[in-house]
Amino acid sequence: MLDLDRFVEDCRVAVAADPTPKTVQDVVARAFSDPADVLAAVGEPTAGGIVPLHVADDLTILNVIWKPGMTLMPHNHEMWAVIGVYGGREDNIFWRRVQDAPDGRIEAAGAKALSTGDVTPLGKNVIHSVTNPIQKLTGAIHVYGGDFFKIHRSEWDPEHLTEQAYDIEKAKAMFGR
């Protein structure tokens, strides 16, 4: 079984050695070589939620549990991320800013489905929305290159795709409902 304390320490050492997502991605990929070990370490999800495993100025590690059918509006992180799915699926739509749009409007630019065992990095400037398209909980470990809860970032209105300030409390409530 994965040792969560060791995983966190390995991520901390990786960020101290290299502030890019490369070395953290290697740590996450090793941990997710057997997603059942990750599931055993965090426990079988029973409800949606955002569970902090580590929060510091240079690194945040979250256990993110998506409710069935849940969609999170387009948003950015203003820091790199590495995502590893230990059960279920995350469908990501990637967005780009519409050139010269005064309201920060975005348009779709690609997509990627992440399934159990998949690990992928997201760059600092990525804008994405996430959906759990299946009718069971999806669990993933999200590792961020900064303090996820303190950084100023944006989200986009899902109807008009216009930019506004990210509301972390609204996002937490969506996971908790």
Side-chain angles (χ1 to χ4, degrees):
M1 178 170 51
L2 176 71
D3 180 329
L4 281 179
D5 291 334
R6 179 66 190 188
F7 175 76
V8 169
E9 183 59 24
D10 288 349
C11 288
R12 291 179 68 228
V13 168
V15 166
D18 178 7
T20 72
K22 173 81 176 92
T23 53
V24 167
Q25 184 178 352
D26 292 343
V27 171
V28 176
R30 277 194 309 275
F32 279 76
S33 65
D34 187 350
D37 280 352
V38 179
L39 175 62
V42 297
E44 186 72 39
T46 59
I50 301 172
V51 181
L53 302 176
H54 176 80
V55 179
D57 288 343
D58 62 345
L59 180 70
T60 300
I61 304 172
L62 304 174
N63 180 12
V64 179
I65 304 154
W66 301 90
K67 294 182 291 185
M70 179 181 178
T71 297
L72 192 59
M73 74 295 273
H75 62 280
N76 62 10
H77 299 126
E78 294 295 329
M79 66 185 87
W80 58 257
V82 176
I83 311 301
V85 177
Y86 62 83
R89 196 170 106 203
E90 283 189 17
D91 283 357
N92 288 263
I93 297 175
F94 298 106
W95 304 86
R96 66 176 163 245
R97 292 177 183 275
V98 174
Q99 188 173 356
D100 300 324
D103 54 4
R105 198 164 23 95
I106 55 174
E107 62 187 4
K112 185 171 188 175
L114 301 176
S115 297
T116 301
D118 288 342
V119 173
T120 196
L122 300 178
K124 177 182 178 185
N125 297 317
V126 167
I127 300 168
H128 72 137
S129 54
V130 184
T131 298
N132 174 6
I134 60 177
Q135 291 307 304
K136 69 176 199 171
L137 295 169
T138 288
I141 300 295
H142 290 212
V143 181
Y144 298 95
D147 187 331
F148 178 84
F149 298 103
K150 288 186 180 174
I151 195 159
H152 173 76
R153 57 187 183 267
S154 297
E155 63 187 23
W156 282 260
D157 171 85
E159 182 177 355
H160 303 287
L161 299 174
T162 53
E163 189 172 11
Q164 56 201 22
Y166 187 80
D167 184 346
I168 188 70
E169 295 308 317
K170 180 173 79 175
K172 286 179 183 178
M174 286 181 70
F175 280 90
R177 272 190 235 145

